């Protein structure tokens, strides 16, 4: 049975309408494809964001006890291109630097990005940390002397968060 011209036009328009409806209704789905963060993940995000800033503040004050209290006893530390350290290696090195009047005068945490595990028990943090160093107990410069590109992995055991991994690489800021 042949279709007359008005019937073919109606079928064509119906198909076009269906195609447009599919395209326009798929656009919001594509934009909404990112899964919604659960309340457990949101809490983990807030906890670790605060912890990253607390660690940076302790580092900025050269408060060794506070700074290293956030580190898991079995932390894995990758010091740029130089070495893989365990916690005690870093404690020994940084205690010597600070004891000789070195360390940090000031810093900022910039571009903090967090990736939370589905269960909210692990968070990866990446950020830039421009630092003004200290020499002989005094600021070594008025502008950042180094920018550390940081990665920290945080694990939650029970109700306690600790840093299980830290990596940094350093670069000298561009001169104006």
């Amino acid at each position: 049975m042949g279709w007359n011209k008005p019937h073919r036009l109606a079928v064509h328009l119906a198909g076009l309408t269906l195609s447009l409806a599919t395209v326009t209704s798929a656009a919001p789905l594509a934009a909404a494809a990112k899964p919604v963060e659960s309340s457990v993940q949101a809490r983990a995000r807030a906890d670790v964001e605060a912890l990253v800033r607390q660690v940076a503040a302790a580092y900025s004050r050269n408060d060794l006890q506070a700074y290293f209290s956030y580190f898991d006893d079995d932390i894995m530390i990758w010091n740029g291109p130089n070495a893989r350290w365990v916690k005690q290696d870093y404690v020994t090195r940084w205690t010597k630097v600070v004891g000789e009047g070195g360390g940090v005068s000031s810093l900022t945490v910039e571009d903090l990005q967090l990736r939370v595990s589905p269960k909210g028990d692990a968070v990866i943090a990446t950020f830039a940390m421009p630092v003004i160093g200290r020499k002989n107990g005094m600021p070594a410069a008025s502008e950042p002397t180094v920018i550390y590109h940081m990665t920290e992995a945080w694990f939650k055991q029970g109700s306690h968060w600790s840093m299980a991994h830290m990596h940094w690489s350093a670069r000298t800021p561009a001169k104006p």
Side-chain angles (χ1 to χ4, degrees):
M1 171 178 216
W3 290 8
N4 60 27
K5 191 172 186 176
H7 189 265
R8 283 194 309 256
L9 180 60
V11 169
H12 178 72
L13 289 175
L16 181 59
T17 302
L18 181 58
S19 295
L20 286 173
T22 302
V23 168
T24 57
S25 65
L29 292 176
K34 185 177 176 187
V36 175
E37 195 170 66
S38 72
S39 62
V40 170
Q41 289 173 307
R43 182 69 205 172
R45 177 179 300 281
D47 288 350
V48 172
E49 180 174 352
L51 288 166
V52 166
R53 294 185 188 287
Q54 290 168 21
V55 170
Y59 184 68
S60 180
R61 294 188 312 270
N62 300 292
D63 184 340
L64 300 174
Q65 185 175 0
Y67 178 59
F68 288 112
S69 72
Y70 296 95
F71 289 49
D72 189 86
D73 287 338
D74 295 325
I75 189 171
M76 295 184 306
I77 302 166
W78 192 255
N79 171 8
N82 300 322
R84 181 176 289 140
W85 288 344
V86 296
K87 183 177 181 178
Q88 192 54 51
D89 294 336
Y90 188 25
V91 170
T92 300
R93 171 74 176 124
W94 197 240
T95 299
K96 181 179 183 219
V97 168
V98 171
E100 293 172 349
V104 177
S105 178
S106 64
L107 63 80
T108 58
V109 172
E110 298 176 355
D111 191 27
L112 177 59
Q113 302 284 317
L114 301 172
R115 183 88 180 261
V116 182
S117 71
K119 292 183 180 180
D121 59 353
V123 178
I124 306 297
T126 62
F127 55 98
M129 190 169 67
V131 172
I132 296 176
R134 189 174 76 156
K135 186 174 182 179
N136 299 321
M138 301 297 294
S142 60
E143 296 293 322
T145 52
V146 66
I147 299 174
Y148 291 107
H149 297 276
M150 305 291 299
T151 301
E152 297 174 355
W154 291 81
F155 293 164
K156 186 174 187 179
Q157 295 179 356
S159 62
H160 178 74
W161 285 98
S162 64
M163 192 187 318
H165 172 78
M166 173 191 270
H167 170 265
W168 70 86
S169 53
R171 74 172 174 84
T172 306
K175 300 208 187 235

